[in-house]
């Protein structure tokens, strides 16, 4: 477990500054929220585990979900992959599939994604997906310890019309 946490510190660099999330917090807050999302959205939206087609190894997860009190046709895209899976195009591949699901199956109007300005890997994915830089955003208070947080964050968006015209 310690080795696993150690190798995932880099994955948390732009999220928590590298610190692992306390297991109690995962058990008591995050997991119940994730499970409640499957109930609420019938499995169409929420958190998606990603596995390699070849061998089935767990490589990380994606989200496609609305804000807690937001409209159902505006959803957030996000991704967190294990370091061992980086650099193989998986984040772009998974995100493309989720954009397709959102627009072609679920009738979503707009997909948005946010990241730290300095998270070039994440921004590259948004740009490869032909999402548009829509805004700059302040760093959330719980992310001020993250390296580069003084540069704030960015928000990218893509509408169904833009997705259809690509
Ligand atoms: C960001 C992350 C999802 C990228 O996953 P990935 O599967 O390696 O990404 P892809 O292979 O699809 O790469 C997409 C593009 O970004 C580039 N890229 C990936 N990581 C990069 C980095 N750290 N710096 C610069 N470019 C990077 C890739 O080269 C690729 O561009 P290319 O096709 O022109 O070569 C992964 O590094 C990760 O999970 N990081 C930790 C969690 C995180 O920061 N999530 C985002 C929070 S908003």
């Amino acid at each position: 477990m310690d080795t696993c946490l150690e190798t995932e510190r880099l994955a948390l660099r732009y999220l928590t500054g590298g610190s692992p999330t306390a297991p109690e917090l995962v058990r008591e807050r995050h997991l119940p929220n994730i499970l409640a999302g499957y109930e609420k959205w019938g499995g169409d939206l929420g958190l998606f585990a990603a596995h390699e087609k070849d061998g089935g190894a767990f490589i990380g997860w994606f989200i496609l979900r609305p804000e807690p009190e937001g409209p159902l046709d505006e959803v957030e895209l996000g991704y967190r992959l294990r370091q061992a899976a980086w650099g193989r195009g998986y984040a772009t591949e998974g995100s493309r599939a989720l954009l397709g699901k959102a627009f072609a199956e679920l009738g979503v109007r707009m997909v948005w994604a946010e990241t730290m300005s300095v998270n070039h890997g994440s921004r590259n994915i948004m740009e490869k997906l032909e999402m548009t830089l829509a805004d700059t955003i302040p760093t959330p208070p719980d992310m001020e310890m993250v390296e580069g947080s003084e540069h704030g964050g960015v928000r990218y968006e893509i509408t169904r019309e833009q997705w259809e015209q690509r």
Side-chain angles (χ1 to χ4, degrees):
M1 184 65 168
D2 283 342
T3 315
C4 175
L5 287 178
E6 197 53 49
T7 58
E8 298 310 330
R9 278 187 205 287
L10 202 55
L12 295 171
R13 179 175 173 187
Y14 295 119
L15 302 164
T16 65
S19 311
T21 306
E24 314 81 74
L25 195 61
V26 174
R27 264 195 309 272
E28 288 159 24
R29 191 182 308 165
H30 297 320
L31 279 176
N33 279 346
I34 291 166
L35 296 175
Y38 295 134
E39 290 283 318
K40 190 170 171 185
W41 300 306
D44 283 336
L45 296 166
L47 187 140
F48 296 80
H51 296 264
E52 273 181 335
K53 283 185 185 161
D54 188 10
F58 173 71
I59 57 165
W61 49 265
F62 292 79
I63 58 161
L64 184 71
R65 65 180 177 208
E67 292 270 50
E69 306 303 328
L72 275 177
D73 65 353
E74 287 183 15
V75 300
E76 178 183 12
L77 170 71
Y79 27 71
R80 312 267 188 277
L81 301 190
R82 305 191 71 184
Q83 201 188 336
W86 292 2
R88 298 189 215 166
Y90 288 154
T92 308
E93 181 183 337
S95 299
R96 276 216 175 98
L98 287 176
L99 284 187
K101 180 179 173 70
F103 292 128
E105 280 178 36
L106 303 178
V108 165
R109 191 187 61 76
M110 190 268 283
V111 176
W112 57 276
E114 290 178 352
T115 191
M116 305 287 289
S117 294
V118 292
N119 192 342
H120 299 293
S122 186
R123 294 183 69 161
N124 272 347
I125 294 159
M126 296 170 197
E127 283 161 19
K128 284 180 90 79
L129 297 171
E130 296 177 57
M131 297 178 82
T132 304
L133 178 61
D135 215 346
T136 55
I137 52 173
T139 299
D142 62 345
M143 291 180 75
E144 274 166 5
M145 81 303 274
V146 175
E147 181 194 333
S149 65
E150 67 276 18
H151 300 291
V154 283
R155 177 186 172 102
Y156 284 71
E157 297 179 353
I158 183 167
T159 63
R160 184 166 57 229
E161 289 71 29
Q162 289 167 333
W163 179 78
E164 283 168 351
Q165 285 161 16
R166 289 174 326 155

